[in-house]
Amino acid sequence: MPLSPRPKYTPALRGRRVLITGAARGIGAGLADLLTAHGARVALAGLEPELLAEVAQRNHAPWRECDVSDPDAVDRAVEELVTELGGLDVVVANAGIAKQLPIIGGQPDVMEAHLRVNTLGVFYTLRAAGPHITHPGGYALATASLAAAVHLPLLGAYSASKAAVEAIGNTFRQEIKPTGAKVGVAYYSELATDMTSRGFDTVAGKKLTGGGTVSGVAPVEAGLRALERGIAKRSRRIAAPGWVPPVVPLRHVAQRVIELKPTPELEESLAIARTEQVDYTTAQPTTSRKAL
């Protein structure tokens, strides 16, 4: 069931023209539904065209199938969608993937894929959409993760890519400040999305966590409510669930706490991960990309 909009945010969101990447499911799809309910006009980009078309249909939204790791495809999709919207006020660079990776014995292509999609995908999206949102009232949101601030075993590729997203967002904020536009960075812990369920549903992951996740799974609504509030306020930081906001500035303490926690199954988990065959949380195009 779609999340009901909170009326106090509607005046700031009604009529806003919003481009969302990674909008086929999860946070992206839920955000499209919620913003439309506020009276915003959304445009969608991502892979999985059948799912994307369903989200677009119920939101009366233009959409494009787009691999965010392809800069030409991103430039083309952004220009076409912005034209259909008649301009742009908000861009949410949300597309991303996850897959476990031990540092020793891990496959280089897994790290490279994370950097292409999660990091370069955000860069390409902000680069293309930036000229359209650099006006008073404009807003860009770079989707990082709590993994950008606190780093865990098996998530080296994901954490590295999201830490780079945080850096891109913080840099972009300074560069466009003179235009009146603002930039936020989003930090989520485990939310009840396909990315979380697929990312932790591995033999190595279950061995490491005892069958669950590191911090427990929060409802996806927690992330959507944070986004609803944050986009309306053009916040510099959006974090969910509720315990995450204080952790981000205290990252060094949180990291030390994580490292001191006993992990008796760590060595076995890493050994399993070196040979376990798992998929990315979103299937990637088979077309080869230029090496980083």
Side-chain angles (χ1 to χ4, degrees):
M1 178 180 296
L3 198 62
S4 297
R6 289 181 172 170
K8 65 180 178 179
Y9 299 120
T10 294
L13 295 173
R14 183 187 292 116
R16 304 289 278 173
R17 298 161 297 182
V18 184
L19 171 61
I20 306 169
T21 68
R25 49 191 167 93
I27 283 283
L31 180 60
D33 294 339
L34 183 56
L35 293 180
T36 297
H38 276 289
R41 297 170 56 205
V42 301
L44 315 176
L47 300 176
E48 303 173 307
E50 292 183 0
L51 293 176
L52 198 61
E54 291 177 5
V55 179
Q57 182 177 24
R58 66 177 181 256
N59 289 292
H60 307 287
W63 65 279
R64 294 293 186 279
E65 182 179 3
C66 178
D67 176 2
V68 296
S69 72
D70 182 340
D72 293 334
V74 173
D75 287 348
R76 185 166 54 251
V78 168
E79 288 302 316
E80 292 176 358
L81 291 171
V82 170
T83 298
E84 292 194 45
L85 285 178
L88 192 65
D89 301 301
V90 180
V91 59
V92 181
N94 173 72
I97 59 171
K99 185 175 181 178
Q100 66 188 20
L101 177 74
I103 301 301
I104 297 176
Q107 296 301 309
D109 64 297
V110 176
M111 177 66 80
E112 292 164 2
H114 280 77
L115 296 176
R116 280 197 305 270
V117 178
N118 295 358
T119 304
L120 291 178
V122 167
F123 165 65
Y124 296 148
T125 300
L126 298 183
R127 174 179 175 272
H132 302 287
I133 58 93
T134 45
H135 56 77
Y139 183 62
L141 181 65
T143 301
S145 166
L146 183 58
V150 182
H151 312 130
L152 301 173
L154 296 180
L155 295 182
Y158 185 73
S159 293
S161 68
K162 291 300 188 176
V165 167
E166 180 185 48
I168 290 169
N170 288 340
T171 301
F172 192 43
R173 180 184 303 114
Q174 299 169 73
E175 291 182 352
I176 68 172
K177 183 179 179 180
T179 71
K182 295 185 177 181
V183 177
V185 177
Y187 303 84
Y188 311 122
S189 184
E190 293 97 345
L191 301 176
T193 64
D194 289 342
M195 175 171 283
T196 296
S197 60
R198 295 181 184 187
F200 283 94
D201 190 23
T202 68
V203 175
K206 291 176 180 176
K207 172 63 69 173
L208 182 64
T209 64
T213 62
V214 176
S215 60
V217 178
V220 69
E221 288 80 3
L224 293 174
R225 287 302 185 197
L227 285 166
E228 178 185 40
R229 178 176 61 253
I231 293 173
K233 295 181 176 182
R234 297 194 299 156
S235 300
R236 62 179 286 122
R237 181 187 299 157
I238 297 175
W243 60 266
V244 172
V247 173
V248 176
L250 295 174
R251 61 183 67 194
H252 298 297
V253 175
Q255 183 66 42
R256 185 60 174 154
V257 170
I258 289 291
E259 292 176 3
L260 289 174
K261 182 181 179 181
T263 52
E265 306 295 342
L266 177 58
E267 289 190 16
E268 186 176 353
S269 298
L270 293 171
I272 293 170
R274 291 183 186 112
T275 58
E276 185 178 11
Q277 299 297 312
V278 299
D279 296 325
Y280 292 103
T281 50
T282 298
Q284 294 301 291
T286 57
T287 304
S288 62
R289 296 289 179 212
K290 185 177 180 180
L292 293 171

